[in-house]
Amino acid sequence: MVARHRISNGTGPGTRERNRPPRLLVLACGALASEILYSIRLNGWDHVSLACLPARLHNTPDRIVPELEARLRSDAARYDRVLIGYADCGTGGHLDALVEKWENVERLPGAHCYEFYATSPVFHELHAAELGTFYLTDFLTRHFDRLVWEFLGLDRYPQLRDMYFGNYRKLVYLSQFDRPELRAKAEEAARRLGLEYEHRPVGLGELATGLETFVSWPAA
């Protein structure tokens, strides 16, 4: 089921009228929904719509591109331009191949959300400093128990922790917003995983600039 957040501009589908803003769609991972909605509302982008696919697709990345293609086939014709709110996200280049098939469709930069939140230079600096790093974002911190602890079976078989995380040394929390309760939860997650903890308040990074570029780029 696709979660849809419609921000109406008072016009319906059809040929673009003179002087109206382009109809824009962000078709995104559900893990980015809060941050994208925040940007839309903060900037007053009333002509931008957001539709989200379930965040759990990251557990089966081979399903991301088929799901996105189905949504493009059903929705893209109603919009002047579409931004795919995913990085490569484990699709092995197949997402870029999909984007190439569609006129006026683009995607966010980078290999994954950690990279575009931190920005590429900062992420590569972190990666080079410690290869064995496990990353959390605000979304993953909020849902750590369900998406990490329970998904990996650590609630039932805690002895598996060292098998999964034995080669990790550090947990880096890349926070989007300053929320003390999430900082505390991320630090607790590091303790439970037996990892050194580091907090990097990175904000929205290249997600923000990617959205701004998408919205401001003049339509053909």
Side-chain angles (χ1 to χ4, degrees):
M1 186 69 178
V2 173
R4 184 175 297 283
H5 306 265
R6 178 65 181 171
I7 301 183
S8 175
N9 62 9
T11 62
T15 302
R16 183 178 172 188
E17 299 87 359
R18 185 181 300 275
N19 297 326
R20 74 154 175 83
R23 298 187 185 95
L24 305 178
L25 173 66
V26 181
L27 181 56
C29 172
L32 308 182
S34 294
E35 288 75 18
I36 294 173
L37 279 175
Y38 169 84
S39 296
I40 289 172
R41 290 165 176 162
L42 177 69
N43 292 285
W45 293 330
D46 295 335
H47 58 300
V48 179
S49 297
L50 170 64
C52 289
L53 299 180
R56 66 176 179 272
L57 287 177
H58 279 288
N59 296 331
T60 53
D62 58 306
R63 291 180 52 201
I64 292 174
V65 170
E67 294 279 354
L68 286 171
E69 184 165 23
R71 296 314 306 175
L72 286 172
R73 292 189 183 282
S74 66
D75 288 0
R78 303 206 307 271
Y79 296 91
D80 297 303
R81 294 174 51 240
V82 179
L83 175 67
I84 301 297
Y86 283 81
D88 180 74
C89 295
T91 67
H94 292 292
L95 180 52
D96 285 334
L98 173 66
V99 169
E100 287 295 320
K101 294 179 184 177
W102 290 80
E103 186 178 1
N104 295 333
V105 174
E106 59 198 88
R107 75 160 173 91
L108 291 171
H112 37 62
C113 60
Y114 314 125
E115 183 175 348
F116 64 62
Y117 275 142
T119 73
S120 292
V122 172
F123 178 79
H124 289 297
E125 171 194 319
L126 289 168
H127 185 67
E130 177 53 75
L131 295 178
T133 300
F134 184 73
Y135 296 93
L136 291 178
T137 62
D138 283 3
F139 178 85
L140 286 173
T141 300
R142 282 196 302 271
H143 301 286
F144 175 82
D145 284 341
R146 177 170 59 87
L147 295 179
V148 179
W149 201 256
E150 294 174 12
F151 176 74
L152 294 176
L154 297 174
D155 56 326
R156 302 180 302 280
Y157 308 104
Q159 67 273 19
L160 294 176
R161 185 193 72 173
D162 291 343
M163 183 181 78
Y164 286 126
F165 293 95
N167 292 323
Y168 288 87
R169 297 291 177 266
K170 179 185 288 189
L171 182 150
V172 174
Y173 170 36
L174 304 169
S175 65
Q176 282 64 74
F177 298 102
D178 183 17
R179 290 172 178 151
E181 70 279 9
L182 288 184
R183 292 202 307 270
K185 190 167 183 179
E187 191 166 5
E188 172 64 11
R191 186 196 63 77
R192 290 164 69 185
L193 295 176
L195 303 176
E196 177 188 343
Y197 173 71
E198 180 179 344
H199 174 218
R200 289 282 187 116
V202 296
L204 300 186
E206 290 168 351
L207 173 62
T209 55
L211 288 168
E212 290 164 5
T213 299
F214 172 67
V215 172
S216 63
W217 191 82

